[in-house]
Amino acid sequence: MNTVRFARRPLDCLIEWQRRYGDVFTVKLLVFGTGVYVADPDEIRAMFTGDQSDLLAGEANAPLSMILGESSVLVLDGPEHLRQRKLLLPRFQGSHVKEFRDVIRAVAEAEVGGWRDGDEFPIRERMRALTFEVICRAVFGVTEPQRVERLRAALLALIDTGPLLLIPEALRRIPLGPLGPWARFRRRLAAADALLYEEIERRRSESDLERRTDVLSLLLRAHDEGGRPMSDLELRDELFTMLGAGHETTATALAFAFDLLLHNPETMARLRDELGSGDDAYLDAVGAETLRLRPVIDAAERTLTRPRVIAGYELPAGIRVYPGIALVHRRADRYP
Ligand code: HEM
């Protein structure tokens, strides 16, 4: 019952459970197993400072490795996670991120330029198209419209079969023939992989590789501390990870921003005014407040490798702990 309710209305369930049981409570869900939510910011800080060798982050994401691959930063833990993380990080720091602004602006202007007064459409679909295009250009470095479209068709078809991964392993093995969902999944995976490997190969032979600023080009030039470059398999997995982690999250957040702005005309009017005067501070505040009220991901996730005391409770090894992002965001003591 709890699994069905949580799948249908996750935020309402979390709020109700917190009201009934307080800031720390155990939830038993089908597929995801038993987990402990922690909604106290001080306890979360204590958990994430100091030694974290008993907390696994990648392990909880293991089912995703069927799409993202075994080398994905999202499914790895320990030294291998650190290696991938160090290779990825430089492109997402400081001045590098500013370089993405021009790409994002161009894609957003082209998208909104196609809208007409009076048109009606589900905003989330348009935001998915927009954030896919941004990732294609900024991360994959692919700009030719035809290639973008090929990638869009193949990669989104694969991502849209993602919920299949929640089906328990035993059921997945039931043979359903070439028309079954698993055969379809494998065909889509093979088609998406072929395109990604083609882009990696093409980029490697590009004469301006040294000057390019997209993430793939940076990763092709990167070496770890031992001087080892990334393998094609690692490159494929990280490209897919950034698409998987960055495309629907941002699309959903943007769609919620529109929803909240359209329901708050005063905020919308002020946002227009502030942007008109060239100041981005209010825009940043609107972004932060949107993510506070409508967090795209309700909780982080860690698996304990050893028993550990969290928020005063002795929790056994193997249990999942969920620092409750959505619940922390709604605390009146932090956000009056
Ligand atoms: C509104 C947008 C986004 C939200 C709400 C969001 C949220 C999150 C959260 C909650 C985590 C887990 C952190 C943890 O457990 O420690 C995460 C991890 C990650 N995200 Fe995002 N994210 C967003 C956008 C993006 C974008 C645009 C990218 C890349 C282009 C991205 C790439 C990643 C990666 C690679 C990880 C794994 C990091 C690691 O394991 O070291 N995310 N994100």
Side-chain angles (χ1 to χ4, degrees), residues 151-291:
L151 284 167
R152 193 193 305 271
L155 299 181
L156 295 192
L158 183 62
I159 287 181
D160 286 342
T161 51
L164 270 182
L165 303 182
L166 295 177
I167 295 172
E169 179 79 32
L171 290 181
R172 283 188 223 150
R173 288 206 217 99
I174 298 173
L176 294 169
L179 297 179
W182 284 105
R184 193 166 62 231
F185 171 76
R186 276 191 291 272
R187 277 198 302 276
R188 288 179 176 181
L189 184 61
D193 279 357
L195 283 186
L196 282 182
Y197 283 124
E198 190 184 313
E199 292 300 339
I200 293 169
E201 206 36 59
R202 244 167 66 92
R203 185 64 41 76
R204 188 172 271 126
S205 57
E206 219 102 64
S207 57
D208 62 348
L209 178 63
E210 288 305 314
R211 290 191 305 280
R212 295 184 63 115
T213 54
D214 56 88
V215 179
L216 172 57
S217 298
L218 179 101
L219 294 180
L220 277 165
R221 300 197 297 262
H223 292 86
D224 66 13
E225 282 150 1
R228 189 158 53 113
M230 291 175 81
S231 69
D232 279 9
L233 185 76
E234 287 174 318
L235 289 166
R236 177 259 173 233
D237 289 359
E238 296 313 355
L239 288 181
F240 229 126
T241 298
M242 285 179 276
L243 177 68
H247 148 68
E248 289 208 276
T249 42
T250 45
T252 307
L254 285 166
F256 275 133
F258 275 98
D259 182 52
L260 290 169
L261 283 168
L262 291 169
H263 284 95
N264 291 280
E266 281 172 24
T267 310
M268 177 76 110
R270 180 161 170 207
L271 179 60
R272 281 178 188 281
D273 281 353
E274 303 261 349
L275 286 177
S277 66
D279 187 354
D280 279 355
Y282 196 71
L283 176 64
D284 284 345
V286 166
E289 183 66 350
T290 299
L291 287 168

Side-chain angles (χ1 to χ4, degrees), residues 73-74 81 85 241-242 245-246 249-250 253 291 296-297 300 302 325:
V73 75
L74 266 173
H81 174 258
R85 176 107 192 176
T241 298
M242 285 179 276
T249 42
T250 45
L291 287 168
V296 177
I297 297 177
R302 294 293 184 270
I325 296 171

Side-chain angles (χ1 to χ4, degrees), residues 4-255:
V4 173
R5 289 184 58 221
F6 186 65
R8 286 167 56 90
R9 302 203 60 85
L11 189 55
D12 289 348
C13 279
L14 290 174
I15 291 170
E16 185 195 317
W17 292 332
Q18 185 190 26
R19 202 176 294 136
R20 269 174 84 174
Y21 303 111
D23 281 340
V24 187
F25 54 87
T26 303
V27 183
K28 292 180 183 168
L29 299 174
L30 294 174
V31 182
F32 298 102
T34 301
V36 176
Y37 272 84
V38 180
D40 180 330
D42 295 328
E43 296 296 346
I44 294 173
R45 182 174 295 117
M47 184 175 155
F48 280 142
T49 35
D51 180 21
Q52 292 179 50
S53 60
D54 56 351
L55 302 176
L56 299 182
E59 200 254 16
N61 292 326
L64 296 177
S65 65
M66 288 181 64
I67 290 186
L68 305 182
E70 306 279 336
S71 324
S72 160
V73 75
L74 266 173
V75 306
L76 290 171
D77 279 300
E80 275 306 307
H81 174 258
L82 203 59
R83 170 176 140 71
Q84 295 296 330
R85 176 107 192 176
K86 281 186 178 161
L87 288 163
L88 286 178
L89 218 55
R91 193 64 191 88
F92 292 96
Q93 283 172 327
S95 62
H96 282 306
V97 175
K98 289 209 182 97
E99 291 166 17
F100 289 146
R101 283 181 156 213
D102 294 338
V103 175
I104 294 170
R105 181 186 294 272
V107 173
E109 276 173 357
E111 170 62 39
V112 178
W115 299 357
R116 295 285 160 261
D117 250 357
D119 283 356
E120 284 186 23
F121 48 83
I123 192 77
R124 180 169 169 272
E125 290 314 309
R126 296 321 310 152
M127 293 301 105
R128 272 191 90 187
L130 190 154
T131 60
F132 181 87
E133 183 109 15
V134 168
I135 292 194
C136 238
R137 288 168 183 247
V139 177
F140 299 175
V142 176
T143 50
E144 303 95 315
Q146 265 180 326
R147 300 192 86 85
V148 173
E149 283 320 309
R150 273 190 344 155
L151 284 167
R152 193 193 305 271
L155 299 181
L156 295 192
L158 183 62
I159 287 181
D160 286 342
T161 51
L164 270 182
L165 303 182
L166 295 177
I167 295 172
E169 179 79 32
L171 290 181
R172 283 188 223 150
R173 288 206 217 99
I174 298 173
L176 294 169
L179 297 179
W182 284 105
R184 193 166 62 231
F185 171 76
R186 276 191 291 272
R187 277 198 302 276
R188 288 179 176 181
L189 184 61
D193 279 357
L195 283 186
L196 282 182
Y197 283 124
E198 190 184 313
E199 292 300 339
I200 293 169
E201 206 36 59
R202 244 167 66 92
R203 185 64 41 76
R204 188 172 271 126
S205 57
E206 219 102 64
S207 57
D208 62 348
L209 178 63
E210 288 305 314
R211 290 191 305 280
R212 295 184 63 115
T213 54
D214 56 88
V215 179
L216 172 57
S217 298
L218 179 101
L219 294 180
L220 277 165
R221 300 197 297 262
H223 292 86
D224 66 13
E225 282 150 1
R228 189 158 53 113
M230 291 175 81
S231 69
D232 279 9
L233 185 76
E234 287 174 318
L235 289 166
R236 177 259 173 233
D237 289 359
E238 296 313 355
L239 288 181
F240 229 126
T241 298
M242 285 179 276
L243 177 68
H247 148 68
E248 289 208 276
T249 42
T250 45
T252 307
L254 285 166

Side-chain angles (χ1 to χ4, degrees), residues 324-336:
I325 296 171
L327 294 175
V328 170
H329 285 188
R330 303 183 78 87
R331 291 181 70 105
D333 59 344
R334 297 288 163 141
Y335 302 101

